[in-house]
Amino acid sequence: MSGIRVVLVDDQALFRAGIRMLIDSQPDLEVVGEAADGAEALSVVRDARPDVVLMDIRMPVMDGLAATAALLADPDPPRIVMLTTFDLDEAAARAIRQGASGFLLKDAEPEFLLAAIRTVHAGSAVIAAAATRDLFAHFGGTAHPVPPAYAALTEREREIFALAARGLSNAEIAGREFLSEATVKTHISRILAKLALRDRVQLVVFAFEHGLA
């Protein structure tokens, strides 16, 4: 099995060096590129074709929000995780609305950062689920009308949607609903397809934006 390919984007060289050492110490992870600003990130990511990008939000030349929006417009984009220094960061909420796959605090424990990369790549859970929910509870704004696509979900799919919207992983949902993880994964895939959502964190956003959380 080939490792998970990661690109680091941050304007602090020392921070990048520390994260690179941490990631490269893992047999299943590999840093395939670095960039010091958003503009550089575009060429590095498009050239290296990573699975996951760790993207600082505040950088010179082009910030992480603009770079994330540009990369997510590409065909088959990588998963992008925003790096921020504080947990109620409106820019992180904006990036996730654009399609980023989550956010991490820059002072997160090393094991948590490594687990987050694997989690985002696997797509089986939302990283920092409670913090993500707090973020959207804080910056959610007024709820939009529920789109017709939601009505197309079966009763079981709505049950699983509600649990996934609370940030539960496939394993946690499986345990609660007495289903296999494979069955939960199939249900989640169907729910994402019916609602035209990119990943689980977008499901959490959808739930908050439509008053379903």
Side-chain angles (χ1 to χ4, degrees), residues 8-30:
L8 308 174
V9 185
D10 192 283
D11 58 336
Q12 296 174 321
L14 199 58
F15 179 79
R16 288 201 314 275
I19 301 295
R20 176 187 271 273
M21 282 175 62
L22 175 68
I23 291 173
D24 283 344
S25 73
Q26 303 297 301
D28 61 329
L29 305 177
E30 178 190 9

Side-chain angles (χ1 to χ4, degrees), residues 59-82:
M59 295 180 291
V61 188
M62 176 190 274
D63 68 20
L65 283 179
T68 295
L71 289 172
L72 289 173
D74 287 350
D76 194 24
R79 305 266 179 194
I80 301 178
V81 177
M82 310 310 292

